[in-house]
């Protein structure tokens, strides 16, 4: 028998981590809502109890004014940097020996410099990585919530994050930052808690999803909910709706890449040899890639969480802070704002980011906007680290804690 | 009891057709391959028997040189114009009292003027509208082919169409024309039978599908084949894989519209009232639209046919006529060629059509290329009739039979 703890230590010993890493990380848990203090939700309901999983990197200074909150995207988690010391214990093999999802941005000397900043990342409400979600026990039944979980919103996520920040004794954040759905959370922070955010970094995101984006999410949810294993969300004791979730993820991956990056990466290359195999199965490399993405996703993500999080993505509309008027909403903002889009991102197109930049300018807010030339599509927020770093460093330098 | 024939006559009587219609149409059937004369396929197999359903409009002149072959797209059929007189008899309620799919282009005085031309449209091999396909009886078993149907290609379709043309006593076509997958057939005609096509009209199409297009088809087929009702394609005596096919069609519809047309048509409008319903079901108008498209499609299309036809779409590569070199392929062409793309088409982007236009020019072929400014996306080939008509009329006029 392999001793998992011993094996983990061996791995740690045999894989010395690079000098600019935050090192081995351990997730924390905090109960941020209970019966005496339930979390109010945008849908009108309340939820309790709520546990939140989060990680921190670097040290909170005495003035408690060097904290940066990192916001994750759809399928992300609190493990944003370093290597998880608990991958085995938490039964998350996909985290094992892999750096956190934004490790190239967070660490000693990196953009979010852990020598200077206290960096926090928490898993969102409704997800499946330690924070309360549809797979958590419903206190009314003792069974997993399933579809009895309330519909949550980006606003709810941020409201819960505010509780975490208060729990950590932080009044004002040095910055909030995220890409994609994480960018919408950063924007929501600046709108919902104007006095508590010094600066907001909104990347590969927008004030709201386009009709096309809504359409992709609708097809993804259709695939999940029509999988017979779905059973109205009560699949936790049976086989999960893996086929539907895999289809949803395959589809999502198309929207994360650009047409040009797909062409460069796969083109029309066949997996076996030079020509058609004359069958209906996987014959092109791009098909194999998508199948792999779909199949590996189902091992690490909960189908119900996918439904709830895409729904929150659908519902988000920053202009609702101004009764549908984005200018009116922007007037609330007190933070400095950095907006970054990527030229080939077609899920959250640059045009939409530019509109937000113009609205913020019209309201005489402190806004910087950059459209990075990139062929990587939406995924660029994870890949164009060098260009992104330059922008983030410059932006954070202006009024730093140093 | 309703008498369907009487009812049909009533409908005919109470709905006088407009003057520029080809009128009531009746599909024909022809057996174009039998044991003595099987149809050879690109995959190396042969198929027999093969029946083809086709319709014709206008009259073949004595010289037999006024025939135009119209090629349909993925989910199309032979009923390109007029009103079907056999919708009830053939149990095709979706055709009832509806004009054919390109009715606005085909008829007396229209672009494909049936006062001058003899217009033919046939259902493609592998489809489910009267031409032999996976739902047809396999002569070896007497049962529907299902996945025992051979993998067919655009080349095979055109080879079968050539038999139909010969069967009708036509040596040389005045023109071949089609949009999308129909455009690829038109191109294939010009490549495979250079001496038999006077002119080719290729609309909203390209020499081959992009990696992104392959990816969308892969997800669509994944949705169909992972539907438990699919049963390896042997579902003809049971419930069909409707959920998977609906998902595939929903997805396809996103690629047929442009982002801008979706925004204009649906935006972020909610179906009921002004704000979120806080549920996971259909809440936005665009979701309702897609659900409707998906659900109505399963009533009129066979899931296996969807697999085979999208596979043919994947495999098509006009450059294979030149061993991967499009210029070398183009040198075969003797027809005059009209290429039309639409500015907002992202399934077959204008850029790809332009490349073909340039290749044809390099080979000193007679080519006209127009990129129509349209917000309708790929669907524009069915919608931008006025602009398209101008181009087609002008192109056909140059060397007409008149």
């Amino acid at each position: 028998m392999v001793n998992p703890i011993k094996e983990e230590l061996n791995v740690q010993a045999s894989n010395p981590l690079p000098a600019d890493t935050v090192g081995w990380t351990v997730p924390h848990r905090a109960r941020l809502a209970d019966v005496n203090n339930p979390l109010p939700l945008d849908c009108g309901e309340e939820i309790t109890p709520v546990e939140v999983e989060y990680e921190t990197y670097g040290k909170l200074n005495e003035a408690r004014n060097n904290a940066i909150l990192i916001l994750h995207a759809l399928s992300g988690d609190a493990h944003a940097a370093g290597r998880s010391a608990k991958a085995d214990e938490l039964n998350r093999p996909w985290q094992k020996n892999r750096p956190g999802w934004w490790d190239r941005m967070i660490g000693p000397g990196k953009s979010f410099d852990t020598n200077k900043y206290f960096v926090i990342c928490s898993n969102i409400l409704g997800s499946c990585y330690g924070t309360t979600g549809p797979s958590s026990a419903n206190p009314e039944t003792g069974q997993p919530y399933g579809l009895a979980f309330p519909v949550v919103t980006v606003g709810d996520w941020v409201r819960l994050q505010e509780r975490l920040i208060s729990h950590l004794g932080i009044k004002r954040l040095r910055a909030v930052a995220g890409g994609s759905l994480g960018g919408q959370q950063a924007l929501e922070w600046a709108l919902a808690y104007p006095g508590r955010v010094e600066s907001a970094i909104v990347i590969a995101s927008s004030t709201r999803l386009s009709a096309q984006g809504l359409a992709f999410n609708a097809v993804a949810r259709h695939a999940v909910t029509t999988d017979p294993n779905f059973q109205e969300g009560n699949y936790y004791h049976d086989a999960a709706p893996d086929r539907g979730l895999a289809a949803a993820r395959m589809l999502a991956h198309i929207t994360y890449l650009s047409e040009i990056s797909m062409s460069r990466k796969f083109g029309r290359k066949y997996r076996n040899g030079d020509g058609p195999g004359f069958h209906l199965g996987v014959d092109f490399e791009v098909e194999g890639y998508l199948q792999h993405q779909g199949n590996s996703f189902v091992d690490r993500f909960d189908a119900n969480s996918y439904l709830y999080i895409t729904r929150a993505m659908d519902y988000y509309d920053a202009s609702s802070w101004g009764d549908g008027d984005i200018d009116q909403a922007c007037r609330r903002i007190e933070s400095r704002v950095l907006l970054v889009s990527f030229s080939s991102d077609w899920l959250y197109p640059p045009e939409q980011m530019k509109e937000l930049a113009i609205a913020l300018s019209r309201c005489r807010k402190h806004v910087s906007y950059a459209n990075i030339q990139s062929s990587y599509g939406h995924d660029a927020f994870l890949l164009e680290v060098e260009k992104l770093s330059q922008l983030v460093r410059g932006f954070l330098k202006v009024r730093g804690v140093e």
Side-chain angles (χ1 to χ4, degrees), chain A:
Chain A
M1 279 280 285
V2 177
N3 177 335
I5 293 170
K6 195 167 161 229
E7 205 191 30
E8 194 164 275
L9 290 172
N10 284 343
V11 166
Q12 295 184 24
S14 64
N15 287 312
L17 300 182
D20 64 350
T21 179
V22 300
W24 294 93
T25 67
V26 175
H28 310 284
R29 296 273 174 101
R31 177 163 293 209
L32 298 175
D34 57 31
V35 276
N36 299 317
N37 187 25
L39 185 74
L41 301 173
D42 285 339
C43 66
E45 296 178 36
E46 292 182 334
I47 183 166
T48 176
V50 179
E51 293 248 339
V52 171
E53 178 168 317
Y54 66 99
E55 293 193 4
T56 68
Y57 322 108
K59 278 186 184 156
L60 187 61
N61 62 12
E62 270 188 39
R64 296 176 179 265
N65 66 1
N66 69 332
I68 292 180
L69 180 65
I70 301 293
L71 294 325
H72 72 72
L74 207 172
S75 62
D77 54 28
H79 182 50
R83 310 288 168 106
S84 172
K86 299 281 183 182
D88 281 324
E89 197 177 309
L90 291 167
N91 195 23
R92 296 179 187 166
W94 59 89
Q95 282 185 350
K96 197 164 171 173
N97 298 320
R98 289 233 184 114
W101 60 268
W102 230 7
D103 187 82
R104 294 166 70 194
M105 292 289 288
I106 304 163
K110 295 180 185 174
S111 303
F112 299 109
D113 189 347
T114 49
N115 291 329
K116 292 182 195 169
Y117 303 116
F118 177 61
V119 177
I120 309 155
C121 184
S122 68
N123 186 219
I124 56 177
L125 184 68
S127 182
C128 49
Y129 293 126
T131 294
T132 302
S135 58
S136 305
N138 181 345
E140 285 183 22
T141 62
Q143 296 297 309
Y145 275 103
L147 298 190
F149 196 77
V151 168
V152 292
T153 66
V154 173
D156 297 331
W157 297 343
V158 167
R159 199 173 301 119
L160 181 59
Q161 287 155 4
E162 188 278 330
R163 286 195 179 192
L164 174 64
I165 297 310
S166 297
H167 169 80
L168 295 172
I170 298 160
K171 290 214 175 99
R172 188 169 155 87
L173 288 162
R174 180 69 184 77
V176 291
S180 191
L181 199 41
Q184 295 192 316
Q185 292 168 66
L187 181 57
E188 180 67 8
W189 259 97
L191 287 160
Y193 300 103
R196 300 190 62 183
V197 190
E198 196 177 319
S199 52
I201 301 173
V202 179
I203 306 166
S205 192
S206 83
T207 59
R208 53 189 186 178
L209 197 60
S210 68
Q212 192 178 65
L214 295 175
F216 279 119
N217 279 347
V219 178
R221 282 194 301 273
H222 174 93
V224 171
T225 57
T226 58
D227 184 319
N229 287 347
F230 181 63
Q231 298 185 72
E232 297 294 310
N234 295 315
Y235 51 77
Y236 292 106
H237 301 297
D238 297 304
D242 288 347
R243 290 166 295 200
L245 183 59
R249 182 65 170 178
M250 289 167 75
L251 177 52
H253 263 277
I254 302 178
T255 68
Y256 298 160
L257 302 179
S258 69
E259 198 263 328
I260 187 79
S261 66
M262 272 200 154
S263 287
R264 284 186 191 159
K265 200 166 175 178
F266 308 107
R268 293 178 46 87
K269 283 198 287 283
Y270 287 95
R271 289 219 301 179
N272 305 311
D274 293 335
F278 295 108
H279 59 76
L280 300 173
V282 171
D283 205 9
F284 290 94
E285 282 194 6
V286 66
E287 293 179 282
Y289 166 81
L290 289 178
Q291 288 278 357
H292 171 75
Q293 293 295 339
N295 293 339
S296 60
F297 189 60
V298 300
D299 292 332
R300 71 172 183 90
F301 213 80
D302 176 49
N304 281 331
S305 285
Y306 203 83
L307 301 181
Y308 281 89
I309 298 173
T310 54
R311 191 41 123 187
M313 187 178 168
D314 291 350
Y315 282 159
Y316 189 65
D317 186 348
S319 75
S320 65
W321 282 102
D323 289 323
D325 177 352
I326 190 65
D327 281 31
Q328 194 182 319
C330 284
R331 275 183 217 114
R332 295 178 56 85
I333 293 180
E334 296 174 19
S335 326
R336 295 164 58 238
V337 181
L338 171 63
L339 304 175
V340 184
S341 60
F342 297 94
S343 58
S344 60
D345 183 352
W346 60 285
L347 185 60
Y348 288 110
E351 200 48 48
Q352 294 178 7
M353 197 64 108
K354 199 173 153 191
E355 280 170 22
L356 174 57
I358 291 169
L360 283 163
S361 296
R362 262 196 309 258
C363 302
R364 297 172 187 277
K365 300 297 174 183
H366 185 135
V367 57
S368 307
Y369 167 55
N371 180 38
I372 295 180
Q373 290 299 312
S374 169
S375 64
Y376 287 124
H378 185 64
D379 263 354
F381 84 91
L382 297 167
L383 300 170
E384 292 284 9
V385 172
E386 226 166 290
K387 292 173 184 169
L388 204 50
S389 291
Q390 261 189 313
L391 289 168
V392 169
R393 270 176 216 275
F395 179 74
L396 288 177
K397 213 176 258 175
V398 175
R399 264 195 294 172
V401 292
E402 57 258 275

